[in-house]
Amino acid sequence: MIALLAGAPALVAGCAGATGEAPRTPRPGVHVALMPAAWATEASVEGVDGDSAMASALARRGGARVSLLSARLSRSPGCADDAACVREAARALGASKIARTELAGLGATVLVRGAIVDVETQMREQLMQEVVHDADPARLRAAIERLGERLAKPWAPLPPGPRRAWYEEPWLWVGVAAAATAGAAAGIGVALSSGEGDPDVVLTPP
């Protein structure tokens, strides 16, 4: 029993230097095929690079891998308006999601809409929109980036876990409890093996 308890300080001392973040399971990356940004109205704002704005937001906020569909769709006239054709193009890239960016202008006001569609089911998983007043290229790009960040939120990497002190680690207390249990068992063995005339042994749990 003495030898067993003597090893407990060594166990604690060895654990004292073990600190760090709790282990985390990273979320799997998402591969998104990005449709070219399109205007739903004749009124538009020149100089808006909606594709790069959405792609950078999805990658930055959600850690998504983004592939552009523009090159593949341009090879097949009318493919952008055919859901089956778009799905096959996204499949060819190995993407599991499709991101769409649409803009509609009315005077100086523009409605910006972003959507995420599942490649296999063709079901729309997310739809978000924002109204931009006094629209210009900079304001529209900022709006598209905000939408992209919101759309990518479900895929965002988990934040780092809080750092814990060595004495808060669960494995440390499992070891201490095991040592205490072994010591108590040894004490019970000594008490049971003693003669009838010996006094009772009272064990107080730690």
Side-chain angles (χ1 to χ4, degrees):
M1 177 177 175
I2 295 175
L4 178 62
L5 293 179
L11 172 66
V12 174
C15 298
T19 59
E21 296 180 357
R24 296 182 293 121
T25 302
R27 297 184 184 180
V30 176
H31 188 179
V32 180
L34 182 61
M35 291 279 293
W39 286 87
T41 57
E42 293 184 2
S44 62
V45 176
E46 297 294 331
V48 181
D49 190 353
D51 295 348
S52 67
M54 180 61 74
S56 63
L58 293 175
R60 181 178 64 252
R61 179 65 177 86
R65 176 187 171 193
V66 181
S67 298
L68 301 180
L69 281 173
S70 52
R72 289 182 174 270
L73 298 183
S74 63
R75 299 173 193 165
S76 305
C79 184
D81 299 322
D82 184 344
C85 185
V86 172
R87 179 175 60 184
E88 290 307 313
R91 278 179 175 173
L93 292 174
S96 60
K97 311 288 182 186
I98 298 172
R100 299 176 180 270
T101 307
E102 296 179 332
L103 304 97
L106 180 61
T109 301
V110 174
L111 173 67
V112 185
R113 177 177 295 173
I116 298 294
V117 178
D118 183 85
V119 170
E120 296 304 321
T121 64
Q122 288 294 289
M123 297 293 291
R124 189 170 60 195
E125 296 181 345
Q126 298 185 71
L127 176 64
M128 297 182 181
Q129 60 187 28
E130 183 174 332
V131 176
V132 181
H133 300 287
D134 300 324
D136 59 24
R139 290 172 63 84
L140 288 177
R141 180 182 179 87
I144 294 172
E145 289 184 348
R146 285 193 296 271
L147 285 181
E149 291 178 356
R150 289 163 58 194
L151 290 171
K153 189 174 181 180
W155 320 321
L158 293 173
R163 296 181 65 87
R164 289 191 294 202
W166 65 268
Y167 53 80
E168 294 178 335
E169 296 293 344
W171 45 262
L172 168 64
W173 295 109
V174 170
V176 172
T181 301
I188 293 174
V190 171
L192 293 178
S193 63
S194 61
E196 294 181 357
D198 294 338
D200 293 336
V201 176
V202 179
L203 299 177
T204 304

